[in-house]
Amino acid sequence: MQVPQLHLGVGTALGPLSIFPIWTSGHGDLAISTGAHANVAVNELPDGAQVGKLIVSNNGPRPALLLEGELLEGGKQHRTCARDVILGAGETRTIGTYCVEEGRWEAGMSSHRRQSRRAPLNVRAELASRAGASDSSNRQSRIWERVRRLDAARGVSATSSLVDHLDRKTLAPSFDPKDAPPPIDGQRGVLFGIGTQPLLLEIFGTHTMFRRHYHQLIDAALLDLELLPAMVIASNRMSGQQAWDFAAVAQGLDFGAFDGGPLAGVRNHGPLRSRSVSSLRAGLEGAGIAVELPHRSPELAHLTVWNTKHPLMEIA
C-alpha cells in the first residue's frame, strides 16, 4: 500500500509559513465522519483516570475518525490524541493520549469536549518523532516542554495550557487566519513549509474530510510562527521546487500489505476495516491510518508526512 498520486498547486505565503494545496487520486467517498461532525463522546476512564488514556464512544451512525494531535478539552486536564483512531458506529474503546496542560488535575471532572482543534506543529512534531517512542513518560515530558515554549513566547498560562494559548488572540496580528487561502474544490491536503524548508505534508481520503480540519490546522500552525526567531521570520520563503521535491519523496513511502506491515493489527468496524500505517524514507516519516471497504482496495483515510530534519522537530 502506497501514497496515492499527489498533485501540488501554487503556494501561498503567510509570513514565514508556506502553504501548498494538494490533490490526490482516490475514490473520494469513505463514509467516515470526522471533526466537529463526528458524534464522539470522550471521558476519563471510569475505573480511575490516567494521563495517558481516555475512553471514546462513537454515538453516530457512521465510522468516525479522530486525528493524531486532535485536542480533547476539559476533563481532569486537556489531552491530545496520540495517534489516528477510527471508531465504528456504536464502538467504544480506550485510546492513547498525552497531556497538554501540565498544571491542572481537577477532581470531579470527567467529560471532555471536542472542537476538532489541533495542537500546533511544534507539539505534533513530538508525537511524530520516533526518538524515545518506547518511553511514554519521557515523551510526555518533552510535550510539556514544547507547550512551555508557548508560555515563554506568549506569556505564562496559569496551568501551562495549550488550549489557553489557542483561546488567546494571536500576538502577531500580521499573521491572520483570514489571510490563509480557502480550501479549493477537490483539495484533499496541504503541504506546509516554515522558513526555507518543508515541514509537513498532510492528506485526507476525501475533500470533505480535509475541509473539516483545514481551518483548525491553520489556526494551530499560526501559533508556531510566534516561536520563530526574527531571522527566520525575515528569511526567504520555501520555493515551489522544494515543495515538489518533498512531495516526490513522500510519494515513494511504502506501507506494506494492508494485512501485514510493521504495525500489523487490523481492526474491524462492521463492513469497514482499519489499520495504522507508518513508513520512513530519506529523512521523511509518514504515519496515519488506512481503511478497507468491501470490494475496494485499501486506501489512506489520513496521512501526515514529516521532514525529520526540520529544526522545529527538535527541542532546542
Side-chain angles (χ1 to χ4, degrees):
M1 189 169 50
Q2 295 181 313
V3 177
Q5 187 66 43
L6 302 176
H7 306 277
L8 264 66
V10 177
T12 300
L14 191 60
L17 179 68
S18 301
I19 306 169
F20 287 79
I22 298 176
W23 290 262
T24 75
S25 59
H27 290 88
D29 182 14
L30 296 178
I32 293 173
S33 297
T34 190
H37 288 253
N39 184 7
V40 175
V42 184
N43 290 279
E44 303 287 353
L45 300 184
D47 55 351
Q50 298 180 35
V51 172
K53 293 181 181 179
L54 289 172
I55 190 165
V56 293
S57 300
N58 180 9
N59 298 320
R62 294 160 37 133
L65 170 64
L66 300 181
L67 297 182
E68 154 270 316
E70 185 170 337
L71 295 176
L72 308 171
E73 305 173 31
K76 294 187 178 299
Q77 57 186 186
H78 304 312
R79 316 286 224 290
T80 187
C81 290
R83 63 196 296 184
D84 291 346
V85 174
I86 283 184
L87 301 166
E91 182 179 355
T92 295
R93 62 182 284 201
T94 299
I95 64 169
T97 61
Y98 288 97
C99 169
V100 289
E101 187 184 19
E102 185 178 5
R104 182 175 71 93
W105 184 262
E106 190 169 351
M109 300 295 289
S110 177
S111 64
H112 291 251
R113 61 189 180 276
R114 295 180 52 253
Q115 302 184 70
S116 72
R117 298 202 287 185
R118 304 288 294 282
L121 306 181
N122 162 59
V123 174
R124 290 180 57 202
E126 187 59 50
L127 297 175
S129 172
R130 293 198 175 198
S134 60
D135 187 346
S136 179
S137 62
N138 194 28
R139 171 162 287 172
Q140 177 63 80
S141 296
R142 294 195 301 271
I143 288 172
W144 281 332
E145 185 174 347
R146 288 178 181 265
V147 175
R148 287 195 294 269
R149 287 177 172 179
L150 293 167
D151 287 344
R154 313 182 79 245
V156 175
S157 159
T159 58
S160 194
S161 164
L162 177 56
V163 170
D164 182 29
H165 287 293
L166 280 170
D167 287 341
R168 298 183 199 176
K169 290 185 177 180
T170 178
L171 298 184
S174 58
F175 307 137
D176 191 322
K178 295 178 182 177
D179 295 332
I184 304 171
D185 189 37
Q187 182 180 353
R188 295 188 189 178
V190 66
L191 190 155
F192 283 154
I194 291 185
T196 60
Q197 299 181 48
L199 172 64
L200 166 146
L201 179 154
E202 186 163 359
I203 59 173
F204 293 79
T206 72
H207 170 64
T208 298
M209 293 169 69
F210 166 73
R211 194 160 41 83
R212 300 281 190 240
H213 292 280
Y214 175 65
H215 292 295
Q216 295 87 342
L217 185 58
I218 293 293
D219 289 344
L222 290 181
L223 275 182
D224 293 294
L225 304 190
E226 298 185 37
L227 300 175
L228 301 178
M231 61 180 296
V232 174
I233 293 177
S235 67
N236 294 328
R237 302 297 169 257
M238 182 182 73
S239 69
Q241 187 62 57
Q242 287 174 291
W244 296 325
D245 290 346
F246 183 85
V249 178
Q251 185 79 71
L253 290 170
D254 189 338
F255 304 107
F258 184 81
D259 287 293
L263 293 179
V266 175
R267 299 184 70 96
N268 295 309
H269 317 280
L272 179 142
R273 302 198 304 155
S274 72
R275 87 161 173 94
S276 297
V277 296
S278 179
S279 183
L280 291 168
R281 182 173 188 245
L284 273 60
E285 184 168 341
I289 197 160
V291 296
E292 183 185 60
L293 288 164
H295 313 299
R296 276 168 55 172
S297 299
E299 51 198 302
L300 293 169
H302 178 245
L303 176 71
T304 304
V305 181
W306 294 86
N307 174 11
T308 62
K309 298 179 181 179
H310 195 285
L312 191 136
M313 295 292 289
E314 302 175 356
I315 291 183

